[in-house]
Amino acid sequence: MAARPKITVVGAGNVGASVAQYAVERELGDVVLVDVIEGMPQGKALDLAQAGPVHRYDSTLTGSNSYDDTAGSDIVVVTAGLARKPGMTRDDLLFKNAEIVGGVVDQVAARSKNAILVLVTNPLDAMVQLAWKRSGFPPERVVGMAGILDSARFRTFIARELDVSVENVTAFVLGGHGDTMVPLPRYSTVAGIPITELLSREAIDALVKRTANGGAEIVGLLKTGSAYYAPAAATVEMVEAILRDKKKILPCAAYLDGQYGVTGLYVGVPVKLGRRGVEQVIEITLTAEEQAAFQKSAAAVRELVEKLKL
Ligand code: TXD
């Protein structure tokens, strides 16, 4: 066995390169960056390797255009695909990214049969369902990143509103990534105190609205692409929880087999992430209103997945 875990990141664009950076800065393992653009992953990998002496990491970085370099990976992060431009919804990316992600998954699954796949490409919930089907992997080894990002955005806005440390703020979100995500204010806390005790309903609604629109807000500012620092940080939290077997409870897109009344579908729920991947789906009791919002979100995900005819 290799001395350090092997982490493959497919798509060396904005999110992929930042995932590689954060992963080596934490010395989570050796990183292989793959992209279709010739020279680009090689250049970024070399550049990041040269930051190692300054930032003090020994992880090796390899850039490649060939999947042969990914063989035997412990974890494969898939960020390959198109990102949103102003005016586009995540769903506009569906067919193009399905083609890209399907091809990527075929290549990586054939060479890393025991890997855990972490999907990032949008529309996230549909892409993770596709990756699960195409890989033939058990559902616990295919998982999607979205909820950590959505809750990190919510936490940022709560901390700013109350002028407290982000470290004191936890937030709970359920459902698909995007407009139908379901934040749960009564489980979102500041130093253990539910925000429903600290903020008015109107103030919470405004923060929730800004969170659900959080991706579009950044796309509107950047104009040439979408957010990547926070998405990469959220992805690396998952990589760390898995490789270090932390058994951390995190909101992720996970396969539901009856939990929350949903069967056969990937949707965002709290899970326990460890070395075996999704080790448990955590089921909490929802109010009637929350349950209705969750069902609506799951229905929106299912509608998109059905368009793919998997
Ligand atoms: O919350 C979330 N899940 C997300 C998702 C948060 C942020 C970004 N999210 C999505 O990730 C976004 O909507 C995109 O679908 C992906 C990647 O976003 P990124 O901002 O990194 O896009 P870039 O910079 O365009 O990078 C994509 C790279 C680019 O270098 C392409 O050349 C490459 O993907 N690409 C491929 N690599 C390998 N193989 C194939 N077939 C391929 N096609 C494109």
Side-chain angles (χ1 to χ4, degrees):
M1 204 183 87
R4 281 188 288 259
K6 181 166 176 177
I7 305 164
T8 284
V9 181
V10 186
N14 284 334
V15 177
S18 299
V19 165
Q21 180 190 341
Y22 295 152
V24 293
E25 284 176 359
R26 287 167 177 244
E27 291 203 305
L28 296 181
D30 293 333
V31 174
V32 179
L33 259 181
V34 179
D35 203 287
V36 280
I37 302 177
E38 266 178 48
M40 186 267 260
Q42 292 86 342
K44 289 191 180 182
L46 185 59
D47 193 6
L48 264 178
Q50 292 165 353
V54 182
H55 272 199
R56 287 177 286 176
Y57 49 78
D58 289 305
S59 300
T60 63
L61 283 135
T62 309
S64 179
N65 305 113
S66 161
Y67 285 94
D68 289 341
D69 289 311
T70 71
S73 294
D74 296 282
I75 198 158
V76 178
V77 176
V78 180
T79 76
L82 307 180
R84 281 197 288 172
K85 300 267 160 51
M88 285 172 85
T89 65
R90 292 182 179 89
D91 299 355
D92 290 338
L93 302 171
L94 181 69
F95 293 106
K96 190 67 207 153
N97 282 353
E99 203 182 306
I100 293 172
V101 169
V104 168
V105 168
D106 290 346
Q107 298 288 337
V108 294
R111 291 169 177 82
S112 300
K113 291 189 173 15
N114 298 315
I116 291 173
L117 306 182
V118 177
L119 274 290
V120 178
T121 308
N122 270 325
L124 188 273
D125 305 273
M127 291 305 114
V128 63
Q129 185 96 19
L130 166 76
W132 166 63
K133 277 265 169 155
R134 282 288 273 264
S135 63
F137 285 8
E140 63 272 18
R141 285 203 282 117
V142 184
V143 61
M145 187 291 290
I148 302 175
L149 172 63
D150 290 332
S151 78
R153 286 180 171 150
F154 196 27
R155 290 166 69 189
T156 307
F157 299 141
I158 293 167
R160 286 187 180 184
E161 182 75 18
L162 291 168
D163 192 24
V164 296
S165 166
V166 289
E167 289 183 53
N168 283 138
V169 184
T170 64
F172 208 105
V173 298
L174 289 173
H177 184 40
D179 314 334
T180 62
M181 62 163 238
V182 185
L184 298 190
R186 70 195 175 94
Y187 284 126
S188 301
T189 66
V190 175
I193 307 160
I195 59 165
T196 45
E197 310 259 318
L198 302 168
L199 291 165
S200 67
R201 172 115 199 195
E202 296 71 52
I204 293 173
D205 286 349
L207 301 184
V208 163
K209 202 168 161 214
R210 191 170 176 197
T211 302
N213 195 42
E217 183 178 0
I218 291 178
V219 170
L221 292 165
L222 295 180
K223 295 184 183 70
T224 53
S226 58
Y228 52 100
Y229 293 119
T235 305
V236 171
E237 184 171 31
M238 293 171 69
V239 172
E240 180 175 41
I242 293 165
L243 292 177
R244 299 210 164 131
D245 195 27
K246 287 179 77 78
K247 307 201 187 291
K248 210 168 184 181
I249 310 298
L250 294 166
C252 300
Y255 186 79
L256 297 186
D257 188 16
Q259 298 95 335
Y260 293 96
V262 174
T263 303
L265 193 70
Y266 274 87
V267 196
V269 290
V271 302
K272 186 198 282 181
L273 272 192
R275 195 61 193 84
R276 287 180 288 123
V278 176
E279 300 192 352
Q280 194 188 339
V281 171
I282 314 288
E283 229 179 328
I284 56 157
T285 312
L286 301 179
T287 64
E289 194 186 341
E290 291 161 354
Q291 181 66 21
F294 183 77
Q295 292 305 330
K296 195 174 155 211
S297 185
V301 171
R302 199 181 287 279
E303 198 183 309
L304 211 55
V305 165
E306 276 169 3
K307 286 189 192 161
L308 288 177
K309 302 194 182 359
L310 297 173

